[in-house]
Amino acid sequence: MPLNDPAGGPIDLDSLGPDGLDDLDIGVIGLDRSGVIVAYNDAASAFSGLSASAVIGHHYFREVAPATNLPSFHGRFLSGIRRGRLDESFEFVFGRVPQPLRVRVEMRQGRDHYWMTLTPLQAVGAGERREAVIAALGNRARAEPVDPSLCEREPIHIPGSIQPNAVMIAADAADLVILAHSVNVHETLPDDGRTLSGRRLDAVLPRSFVDVIRARLASGTLDDGRSIRRTIRLPGRGQTANAYFAVAHAHLGRVIVEMEMAPELPEDFAVATQTDTELSVARLRSAETLGTVARIAALEVRALTGFECVLVYRFDADWNGEAIAEDKVADWSRTLLGLRFPASDIPAQARALYTKAKSRFVIDRDSVPVPLVAAPPAGNGPIDLTFAQHRTLSPIHLEYQRNLGVNGSMSISIMVEGKLWGLMIGHHRQPHYVAPETRAAATVITDAFAMRVQEIEGRRLWAEQQAHLDTEGRLVRELTRSDDFVGALTSGTMTLLDLFGATGAGVVSAGGVTLIGKTPAEAEVRDLAVWLREHLPAEASSYASSAFSAEFQPAAAYREIASGLLAAFVDPAREHLLLWFRPEVPSTVTWGGDPRKPVLPGSGPVAVLPRRSFERWVEERTGFATPFADWQVSLAQSLAQAVEGVVLRQRRKIDELTGLLADKEKLLTQKDILTREIDHRVKNSLQIVSAFLQMQRRQIADPDARQAFAETSARVMSVARVHDSLYQAESVEEVDLGQTIENLCSDLAGMAGDGHAVELVAESGVMVPYRKAVALSLIATELVTNAFKYAAGPTGGGRVEVSVSSSAGGGVRLKVCDDGGGMPEGWAEARPQGTGLGMKMIRAMLDQINARIEVANTPGACFTITA
Ligand code: BLA
């Protein structure tokens, strides 16, 4: 289409000299066939802020106005030249801050080179949300601290607009009736003057494409991030048909179709080939460590996508992140490698969205969002763009990008074990277009990287866990062999110190505190155990912290040796406790900006704004140990359970033994009672025998025989007395000798009658064994009866003195003295009188108990037996 002068006639640009061009109020740019600027008029300079001398000789699309380096702009120029007929006219919005501008772009062939004219049509707004942020930037007033969690409030999945490089149509998934579309649809679809909303999808899109959508909807394979990608041809202006890259997906009952112009030839926009991707994946596969793989991944993704900087960004357990690899152009001195960024930089709702939708590309940070318009009534709420490729990003985040010095950008989710592990981030100082196939390739390489991470981390973790399981197994074997669980865990060839890289460990048990390695003092550990018992929620059986002095203040005193603590209770009563300590790792963390002030106060509807400075901010960290991993906590719990098994077993054993002991004691008492009962009966039987003998004695006339009966009866009686004593006594083994002899003497005196008297002096409590008691009782019987017989005067009577006492060396002394005439000279050799049985028995008894007898006349006979 020829350019017209204000009067309506065509302007012949070839005929105007440089001054003539400068007189025009439309921007005029002369380009050679490769796109390098050869002419640049004043209006173009005023429009771009760049002087002719600064731009001439530079590539317009790639260097001077990279926001135009798109298939729909630069691509049109390239195709026109290839066709040999450059004749294009379209509208384009240059996204400039603060005031974007809509222009009509015309391209045509001139005499010596090509002409491109830019006719300003209208100043446009930057979009409602972006404008609010810009306004908030200007009104920053409050200085009080702001809550970074406010960032999480922005509903980024329903921005109501898309980026301008694409058009979007949203239809009801049930009947494929169009519900909403981006206001720019007619850049792509022919405009017949009728509104799109309310028409069916196949009325505006190629039927074959809609058929595939319908089939995939019917089979339920088009939602949850799955999509159909096709290159479709749509009629362009005139006879030409343009190729569009179309993506369709379903989400929450809507089918969303996005279309963007595809590069006519792959080489026009560095489209990645399958070979590029395969080579990159192969290189990733050859790397062995996480650091190397990350570096290679950054390099490969950058080579493919053309970003000036690609970073591998890794989240930590608290969602702070660190740039662990960086690949960038040499002339960009900024480096983010090794810097940490606070969690609020990528707020929770964004992380949740990135877990579902895998990539985001922003061609031009300052491009003007294209609103979606819905058919009235708007009905079922805003269109959810979670999975839309061209969703506009949060304007607050775009401000963050500006502060970082970034314009074109990319982030691809790195998913490891189903979790958002990190992001592959692309930065460009200028707008940067990446072709659809290249975006897909970058996603494939990022996925391959994620799999390598999973492999490498998985293998390392596996080896570490195997070693730990082995150690735990050995400890448990030791526990099952031993009855002393504390010893088994703290003093064998393997101890608690062989687990979890701990430098100190201990067991708190009923028996006390046992510590090994470097640990706090015993009293401190005791206090710690009390705190754990009281502060752990009832259902918790373990506690792990890499900085437990933050929760338990007294631990600050020993943070150097024990900043990290892993504790596992053995029993539900929390009596026993296993402990592992890790030392402080004094370190510094370099943050990209002050992490305590990640946000600045905003104003109006924009409450928070990103920080403006990313100056390195070094934080010293004290009181932190290497954190314990979840699997280590589980392993500690399982070991504690094994200990509980052993402790319980020990308890059961003790219970069993106590039971046995009680049974034995019961048996013993029963035996005691039985023995006493027997003693009682024996005594009774002996008394009966003795009574029989007495009765028989009375019926016998012969005095010698009577005497013999009397003596025998007395002997039997004396044995009965011993049994009686045994029956009375507390012990079944020993009898009180004094008591026994006393009873015996009164029996003997009673039996002898005639006023015989026995005077007894007995030390009480002289206990002698049963055998000794029987022997001594028989001896006493003989001696007392003898005394009555021989020593008594003719009138009868006669006194006998008996004494029982303990002798030196634990023995006893029995003394029997009478008041008669004493033993005759040589009595020992003389023929014994009577039967002589008395003396024989005395000797036999003395022998039996190994005792001595001494006799003295004092003047009566006095016998002393020492036993
Ligand atoms: C999103 N923030 C993001 C994203 C990144 C970062 C990578 C993903 C979006 C994208 O592809 O660009 C942050 N970018 C970084 C970091 C580095 C980087 C840490 O290059 C370091 C190498 N952000 C803030 C504050 C708020 C905020 C204060 O700093 C809110 C007040 C919000 N960030 C925010 C939001 C998103 C975001 C809302 C989501 C953007 C979207 O997907 O719409």
Side-chain angles (χ1 to χ4, degrees):
M1 193 203 275
L3 286 162
N4 294 314
D5 66 13
I11 302 175
D12 181 5
L13 294 173
D14 289 324
S15 66
L16 296 174
D19 291 345
L21 289 177
D22 285 343
D23 285 344
L24 294 174
D25 55 5
I26 57 168
V28 179
I29 302 164
L31 299 168
D32 72 10
R33 59 174 298 123
S34 70
V36 170
I37 300 173
V38 293
Y40 204 72
N41 77 345
D42 280 353
S45 286
F47 172 72
S48 68
L50 301 167
S51 68
S53 59
V55 298
I56 287 177
H58 292 276
H59 199 285
Y60 177 78
F61 306 101
R62 294 206 190 100
E63 295 174 72
V64 177
T68 64
N69 191 25
L70 305 166
S72 57
F73 200 132
H74 185 198
R76 282 178 152 124
F77 178 78
L78 292 170
S79 333
I81 288 172
R82 263 197 298 270
R83 273 198 312 271
R85 186 166 46 81
L86 180 64
D87 180 15
E88 293 284 339
S89 174
F90 56 93
E91 286 181 11
F92 186 79
V93 176
F94 281 91
R96 305 182 308 170
V97 174
Q99 192 67 78
L101 188 67
R102 178 182 298 277
V103 296
R104 168 148 296 278
V105 182
E106 305 204 331
M107 297 172 174
R108 63 172 189 164
Q109 184 144 13
R111 194 181 50 221
D112 305 319
H113 48 256
Y114 300 92
W115 290 113
M116 182 167 75
T117 60
L118 307 173
T119 311
L121 296 177
Q122 150 193 46
V124 289
E128 214 178 290
R129 292 158 68 237
R130 189 73 192 277
E131 279 159 12
V133 170
I134 294 167
L137 283 171
N139 298 341
R140 231 196 278 262
R142 290 169 295 141
E144 72 262 29
V146 251
D147 179 1
S149 70
L150 283 174
C151 296
E152 297 177 2
R153 302 246 182 99
E154 192 184 340
I156 60 172
H157 62 298
I158 44 168
S161 62
I162 59 165
Q163 297 180 46
N165 187 48
V167 302
M168 175 180 283
I169 302 174
D172 189 313
D175 53 16
L176 298 187
V177 170
I178 296 171
L179 298 170
H181 60 83
S182 58
V183 295
N184 63 350
V185 265
H186 296 305
E187 285 177 13
T188 302
L189 301 175
D191 187 359
D192 58 6
R194 288 165 60 200
T195 169
L196 240 56
S197 295
R199 293 163 75 181
R200 287 169 54 101
L201 212 49
D202 51 11
V204 297
L205 293 180
R207 184 171 294 274
S208 60
F209 183 52
V210 179
D211 284 345
V212 183
I213 293 177
R214 206 178 278 117
R216 291 280 297 273
L217 280 172
S219 62
T221 54
L222 201 53
D223 47 9
D224 299 328
R226 284 174 291 190
S227 59
I228 305 166
R229 293 152 196 246
R230 287 280 187 288
T231 300
I232 59 174
R233 291 197 170 272
L234 295 170
R237 290 185 324 111
Q239 280 77 45
T240 54
N242 290 318
Y244 287 87
F245 185 78
V247 183
H249 75 274
H251 187 49
L252 299 176
R254 275 107 177 218
V255 173
I256 294 170
V257 183
E258 296 163 82
M259 287 167 284
E260 60 176 296
M261 197 178 270
E264 193 181 63
L265 293 181
E267 56 272 28
D268 289 351
F269 292 95
V271 172
T273 65
Q274 192 163 337
T275 320
D276 296 331
T277 313
E278 281 170 9
L279 285 174
S280 292
V281 171
R283 276 177 221 126
L284 280 177
R285 190 164 291 158
S286 68
E288 284 303 327
T289 65
L290 183 62
T292 329
V293 184
R295 238 182 350 266
I296 293 177
L299 186 137
E300 294 297 324
V301 170
R302 190 167 97 76
L304 210 66
T305 57
F307 279 103
E308 290 181 299
C309 174
V310 170
L311 299 154
V312 177
Y313 186 79
R314 179 185 188 167
F315 290 113
D316 71 10
D318 302 322
W319 296 107
N320 299 317
E322 182 183 346
I324 63 162
E326 179 182 62
D327 190 73
K328 64 181 183 72
V329 282
D331 75 342
W332 197 356
S333 60
R334 181 206 77 175
T335 174
L336 301 177
L337 183 64
L339 293 191
R340 284 242 212 145
F341 298 84
S344 56
D345 280 15
I346 309 174
Q349 88 281 29
R351 296 190 305 259
L353 191 147
Y354 303 167
T355 302
K356 297 187 216 163
K358 299 300 152 42
S359 67
R360 292 140 292 283
F361 283 81
V362 174
I363 298 173
D364 180 0
R365 176 194 70 209
D366 298 326
S367 65
V368 177
V370 180
L372 299 181
V373 285
N380 358 350
I383 310 282
D384 186 317
L385 298 187
T386 294
F387 292 102
Q389 296 206 343
H390 298 87
R391 175 179 66 87
T392 47
L393 297 200
S394 154
I396 296 180
H397 172 60
L398 295 177
E399 193 52 36
Y400 178 94
Q401 299 286 60
R402 174 195 301 284
N403 296 344
L404 256 187
V406 171
N407 189 317
S409 69
M410 153 196 98
S411 76
I412 305 176
S413 309
I414 304 172
M415 303 294 297
V416 176
E417 310 255 20
K419 228 186 117 203
L420 189 65
W421 182 92
L423 293 172
M424 186 72 70
I425 296 177
H427 285 169
H428 213 77
R429 286 171 289 186
Q430 297 292 328
H432 184 62
Y433 165 80
V434 182
E437 285 92 336
T438 311
R439 300 199 301 254
T443 308
V444 169
I445 294 169
T446 303
D447 271 349
F449 168 68
M451 282 187 233
R452 272 310 269 150
V453 170
Q454 191 157 328
E455 245 169 46
I456 291 171
E457 298 257 274
R459 202 181 301 143
R460 190 184 51 76
L461 193 68
W462 190 84
E464 203 183 338
Q465 286 178 341
Q466 286 308 304
H468 271 76
L469 284 175
D470 185 51
T471 307
E472 194 210 15
R474 286 188 202 204
L475 284 174
V476 170
R477 254 200 312 281
E478 201 53 49
L479 277 170
T480 53
R481 280 203 211 109
S482 151
D483 275 345
D484 163 24
F485 83 90
V486 178
L489 296 175
T490 56
S491 63
T493 46
M494 282 262 161
T495 67
L496 294 181
L497 278 182
D498 294 299
L499 291 170
F500 316 137
T503 43
V507 181
V508 177
S509 72
V513 175
T514 309
L515 298 169
I516 45 173
K518 280 194 175 163
T519 66
E522 195 178 314
E524 289 167 330
V525 173
R526 227 181 272 276
D527 290 346
L528 173 60
V530 170
W531 176 75
L532 285 168
R533 279 183 194 121
E534 285 171 3
H535 285 82
L536 241 56
E539 67 284 357
S541 62
S542 64
Y543 171 85
S545 169
S546 57
F548 77 104
S549 68
E551 282 177 76
F552 179 56
Q553 224 288 315
Y558 45 81
R559 57 153 220 262
E560 278 175 23
I561 41 174
S563 276
L565 168 68
L566 171 55
F569 282 115
V570 169
D571 52 333
R574 298 186 167 179
E575 192 179 355
H576 310 293
L577 180 59
L578 310 184
L579 297 166
W580 289 267
F581 298 104
R582 277 183 183 170
E584 177 181 48
V585 187
S587 63
T588 54
V589 179
T590 313
W591 295 88
D594 183 348
R596 294 169 314 183
K597 296 181 197 153
V599 294
L600 298 171
S603 71
V606 183
V608 278
L609 291 164
R611 63 184 175 285
R612 272 194 273 202
S613 162
F614 288 84
E615 278 296 300
R616 289 164 165 270
W617 198 92
V618 181
E619 182 193 14
E620 262 191 60
R621 304 226 309 170
T622 56
F624 282 88
T626 320
F628 291 95
D630 285 351
W631 65 266
Q632 295 178 321
V633 178
S634 309
L635 197 74
Q637 281 171 341
S638 91
L639 183 64
Q641 267 165 18
V643 173
E644 187 186 16
V646 173
V647 172
L648 280 183
R649 209 187 58 215
Q650 283 173 0
R651 277 227 186 104
R652 223 178 293 125
K653 232 180 195 168
I654 289 169
D655 285 353
E656 261 169 34
L657 285 177
T658 323
L660 274 179
L661 215 65
D663 286 352
K664 273 231 169 92
E665 243 151 40
K666 219 190 273 159
L667 278 176
L668 276 172
T669 11
Q670 277 171 358
K671 193 188 131 214
D672 242 36
I673 293 167
L674 214 68
T675 322
R676 279 165 212 275
E677 200 47 43
I678 289 168
D679 283 327
H680 189 53
R681 287 185 197 167
V682 169
K683 184 211 84 174
N684 285 347
S685 306
L686 290 175
Q687 265 177 342
I688 291 167
V689 173
S690 161
F692 277 147
L693 291 170
Q694 289 284 5
M695 273 156 61
Q696 263 182 306
R697 182 184 72 110
R698 280 185 218 115
Q699 281 158 17
I700 292 168
D702 174 42
D704 280 353
R706 275 175 73 102
Q707 178 63 27
F709 267 97
E711 283 170 10
T712 306
S713 168
R715 283 173 194 134
V716 171
M717 205 47 222
S718 72
V719 177
R721 272 293 162 215
V722 175
H723 281 279
D724 192 30
S725 295
L726 277 171
Y727 169 60
Q728 311 269 357
E730 278 183 13
S731 146
V732 290
E733 306 288 328
E734 295 191 314
V735 296
D736 184 331
L737 189 65
Q739 190 70 52
T740 312
I741 302 285
E742 186 182 347
N743 291 336
L744 181 63
C745 289
S746 70
D747 286 346
L748 290 173
M751 276 159 73
D754 306 338
H756 290 294
V758 181
E759 197 168 293
L760 181 85
V761 181
E763 209 177 286
S764 74
V766 179
M767 305 303 290
V768 295
Y770 163 75
R771 262 162 46 91
K772 220 176 200 178
V774 170
L776 289 171
S777 296
L778 283 170
I779 292 169
T781 305
E782 289 314 314
L783 291 174
V784 171
T785 342
N786 258 349
F788 287 160
K789 209 159 51 184
Y790 303 112
T795 50
R799 280 169 47 82
V800 181
E801 272 180 33
V802 178
S803 80
V804 174
S805 61
S806 51
S807 75
V812 287
R813 179 171 307 128
L814 173 69
K815 213 166 162 186
V816 180
C817 302
D818 60 41
D819 56 354
M823 295 298 281
E825 247 346 273
W827 68 275
E829 294 81 33
R831 243 195 108 241
Q833 289 167 298
T835 54
L837 186 59
M839 217 45 220
K840 264 195 204 151
M841 200 154 82
I842 289 174
R843 291 202 185 286
M845 289 299 127
L846 287 170
D847 280 354
Q848 209 177 74
I849 61 170
N850 229 348
R852 282 184 287 117
I853 192 166
E854 283 162 54
V855 191
N857 287 338
T858 61
C862 211
F863 298 85
T864 306
I865 297 103
T866 315

